[in-house]
Amino acid sequence: MDRVLRVCALYPDLMNIYADRGNLLVLEQRCAWRGIRFELSSSGLGEPLDADAYDLYYIGGGQDRDQRLCAEDLIATKRDALHAAAARDAMILGVCGGYQLLGHSYVLGQDEIPGVGLLDVRTVREDGPRLIGNVAIEVSLGDVEDSILAGFENHGGRTYLGAGQEPLGCVLKGHGNDGRSGFEGARASNTIGTYLHGPLLPKNAWFADRLIATALHIDPSDLALLDDAFEQAAHLSARRAAGI
Ligand code: GLN
């Protein structure tokens, strides 16, 4: 089997809070264990983005200040490539600040930080506390088993789904997109946004495999089974922390 997963991390230095880079390490390791080659590239401020060269595009979470810098750059140098990548069904994952940037906009007081508009969501920094804590959601990817994601959220922005925009899942414990709707994240075809840090993938290895399979355009059952005893323990511990 000569498979290769080609990943591009956007702004890996600026959009990497709560060690979101750990998500990339999980993808790398799960590929390595299966003999799948893993190639990691990055695209930072001012750098172009290749719309065809990658199977998975990734953008982590960030502080408002860094997010603003990245948003300007994203629009100027990467938006068209991301739309082209989404159109050919590449996998695109945004976490927290990255999720907000995949939507239409993030409004902070008088300021509106534009997003790339791949997800029909809008984020607003309203009055009120940050939404912080352990979170568990039930995702709707069509699987009966293993459909719970557990993680940690910390965001000031409240995200609202446009009419017809599917969430990634429903909140079992925690705040989710806006603390009220019961929705968490958003998904449009192979573009996914979520508020779950932790980072997300070490606590939810099953989801890492879904991403790998989707990015490679293969069935998840075609991925070799791994001994996930530690990963299961991490998942259960994250669920327990959330109270599920
Ligand atoms: N800056 C954004 C907010 O506070 C995203 C934070 C994050 O990525 N954790 O809403």
Side-chain angles (χ1 to χ4, degrees):
M1 180 172 61
D2 190 21
R3 285 194 176 126
V4 52
L5 182 73
R6 302 161 308 164
V7 175
C8 184
L10 276 64
Y11 316 107
D13 47 345
L14 295 170
M15 300 296 283
N16 176 37
I17 52 177
Y18 293 110
D20 279 339
R21 198 188 127 67
N23 291 323
L24 298 172
L25 298 177
V26 169
L27 294 174
E28 178 173 17
Q29 190 57 54
R30 294 184 79 74
C31 283
W33 280 329
R34 295 178 166 117
I36 299 172
R37 249 181 32 242
F38 180 86
E39 290 176 2
L40 179 62
S41 306
S42 66
S43 180
L45 291 179
E47 292 172 348
L49 182 65
D50 192 320
D52 298 308
Y54 307 107
D55 307 300
L56 192 153
Y57 295 77
Y58 173 68
I59 178 163
Q63 314 275 3
D64 288 347
R65 192 186 53 242
D66 294 330
Q67 223 173 304
R68 198 184 302 262
L69 277 176
C70 294
E72 285 167 17
D73 184 76
L74 207 51
I75 300 297
T77 66
K78 300 175 181 59
R79 175 174 51 190
D80 295 347
L82 274 178
H83 275 267
R88 66 171 175 83
D89 265 347
M91 181 83 236
I92 300 174
L93 174 66
V95 172
C96 202
Y99 165 34
Q100 295 169 344
L101 291 179
L102 292 180
H104 296 298
S105 56
Y106 177 25
V107 174
L108 280 155
Q110 305 292 345
D111 265 11
E112 178 165 323
I113 300 178
V116 294
L118 276 174
L119 295 170
D120 184 14
V121 304
R122 292 176 197 281
T123 302
V124 185
R125 179 77 172 89
E126 293 164 5
D127 289 341
R130 296 182 68 81
L131 304 179
I132 303 175
N134 292 302
V135 55
I137 69 170
E138 172 113 52
V139 299
S140 30
L141 295 175
D143 291 333
V144 178
E145 277 184 290
D146 277 346
S147 57
I148 291 180
L149 290 178
F152 176 78
E153 61 184 327
N154 182 352
H155 48 110
R158 269 76 167 158
T159 298
Y160 298 99
L161 305 179
Q165 171 63 61
E166 264 187 75
L168 174 62
C170 292
V171 175
L172 298 171
K173 289 280 175 159
H175 303 288
N177 279 341
D178 58 15
R180 288 187 297 265
S181 63
F183 294 134
E184 203 294 311
R187 181 168 75 96
S189 190
N190 289 345
T191 299
I192 289 180
T194 177
Y195 274 115
L196 271 63
H197 292 286
L200 168 71
L201 300 183
K203 293 180 171 178
N204 301 283
W206 72 268
F207 193 66
D209 285 355
R210 286 297 298 241
L211 299 184
I212 293 170
T214 305
L216 293 176
H217 300 290
I218 60 173
D219 196 87
S221 63
D222 288 339
L223 290 175
L225 282 177
L226 300 175
D227 174 359
D228 275 339
F230 284 123
E231 289 76 4
Q232 272 300 337
H235 179 72
L236 290 175
S237 150
R239 281 171 64 156
R240 267 197 302 276
I244 290 289

